[in-house]
Amino acid sequence: MRILLFALMWLGIPTSVWAEVELTRLTWAGIKLVHEDSTVFIDAVGRDLWGGNPPGGDLIPLEASTGRRYALVTHVHNDHFDVDSLRVVLGERGYVICHEDDATYVASRGLRVIPAKYWTPIRRGGFLFTAVPAVDGMGDTQVSWVITVDELRLFHGGDTLWHGGLDLVGAQFGPFDLAFLPVNGARVLRDPMPETPASLTPVQAIDAALMLRAETLIPIHYGLDNPPYYREVADAIPSLLDGARRRGVSVNVLDPGDSLRR
Ligand SMILES: [Zn+2]
């Protein structure tokens, strides 16, 4: 996109139509995008679910100053769908965008909802949002989001399990500029505790980034180990960086609150 901007400037063509997108990592799996008069939250949680010790440091509050506001959710587990904070930040005019199977539930929580079908783009506020299949570790409905704005193409993987459909999404929508992928390989208490993770491990996230044809992987959904209820892989980020170096995948680790512009 930057090369395109330089080319347009060199030709004397106004570049203001390609306004920047500001991306901010929020707490846990949350991401915030701001573009022109729209703010888009994805899996944004502003409420302390972690007893005063949120993963990655400070709890990042959900704030927006634009007229248009949207909140995409991959699924309605409380670490991805924060009803109280969304009610405040979306106000009277904002929308939650979720898979159609979750729409009745989201509406019942007092939120305005736009239901999404798989593979069917929704155009709002200069963005295009497309729900694509994901697999939830608890067996609930979960989607991943393909988000395009101007020339920028993003993927948000919630806390999906590994699945072969990632290849299809990469073929259909790739290459992606950025892929936000869970990396903590979480195991959630059952009796007996499973050895199979309920979200992507670092190794699987690298394979996912390769299948999605992502230029850069940004890890999300890590930094919480709470035995015996919730166990994540040891050293999620060092093993991600190690594996990514070995396999030629670019990783950008953002702490909650860190922003970048594209
Ligand atoms: Zn989760």
Side-chain angles (χ1 to χ4, degrees):
M1 175 159 146
R2 210 156 286 153
I3 293 164
L4 178 67
L5 284 176
F6 284 136
L8 289 171
M9 283 189 288
W10 186 72
L11 292 167
I13 295 169
T15 54
S16 56
V17 285
W18 279 279
E20 280 193 328
V21 181
E22 185 181 32
L23 305 96
T24 305
R25 182 161 175 236
L26 305 174
T27 302
W28 197 230
I31 297 293
K32 172 178 156 180
L33 311 173
V34 181
H35 176 66
E36 296 181 340
D37 193 36
S38 296
T39 301
V40 176
F41 297 96
I42 310 121
D43 282 4
V45 171
R47 191 161 66 93
D48 179 19
L49 302 173
W50 301 278
N53 192 20
D58 296 332
L59 185 68
I60 309 300
L62 305 194
E63 291 166 343
S65 55
T66 59
R68 295 163 181 252
R69 300 170 191 193
Y70 307 94
L72 276 57
V73 294
T74 59
H75 62 302
V76 296
H77 294 168
N78 72 343
D79 61 324
H80 297 256
F81 176 51
D82 174 357
V83 172
D84 295 337
S85 301
L86 291 185
R87 270 199 206 123
V88 173
V89 78
L90 295 179
E92 292 294 305
R93 294 187 52 211
Y95 291 90
V96 173
I97 306 180
C98 65
H99 187 267
E100 58 184 352
D101 287 356
D102 286 329
T104 303
Y105 173 71
V106 169
S108 79
R109 309 307 290 155
L111 291 155
R112 289 152 55 98
V113 62
I114 298 172
K117 293 180 189 294
Y118 288 123
W119 306 111
T120 307
I122 292 171
R123 187 189 293 277
R124 286 287 188 288
F127 287 79
L128 211 53
F129 307 117
T130 308
V132 296
V135 182
D136 182 74
M138 305 291 117
D140 292 315
T141 298
Q142 179 166 165
V143 304
S144 292
W145 287 106
V146 172
I147 301 164
T148 59
V149 51
D150 292 342
E151 300 295 305
L152 190 65
R153 190 166 295 215
L154 314 171
F155 179 91
H156 191 290
D159 67 2
T160 187
L161 286 173
W162 174 259
H163 61 96
L166 290 160
D167 195 37
L168 187 59
V169 174
Q172 181 70 25
F173 291 101
F176 289 91
D177 297 280
L178 303 171
F180 302 99
L181 293 170
V183 298
N184 70 343
R187 293 178 299 127
V188 184
L189 183 64
R190 286 172 183 147
D191 190 18
M193 185 64 149
E195 294 191 354
T196 303
S199 59
L200 295 182
T201 65
V203 166
Q204 292 173 333
I206 293 163
D207 274 327
L210 288 166
M211 284 193 171
L212 292 167
R213 298 188 286 143
E215 189 182 304
T216 301
L217 187 171
I218 297 184
I220 56 171
H221 203 272
Y222 63 89
L224 177 68
D225 193 50
N226 184 22
Y229 307 104
Y230 192 95
R231 303 303 315 262
E232 72 172 32
V233 296
D235 302 323
I237 294 303
S239 42
L240 179 75
L241 293 173
D242 191 48
R245 202 174 306 119
R246 202 161 35 80
R247 304 193 63 203
V249 171
S250 152
V251 173
N252 187 359
V253 179
L254 299 180
D255 289 328
D258 284 355
S259 292
L260 48 93
R261 288 177 176 276
R262 293 294 293 259

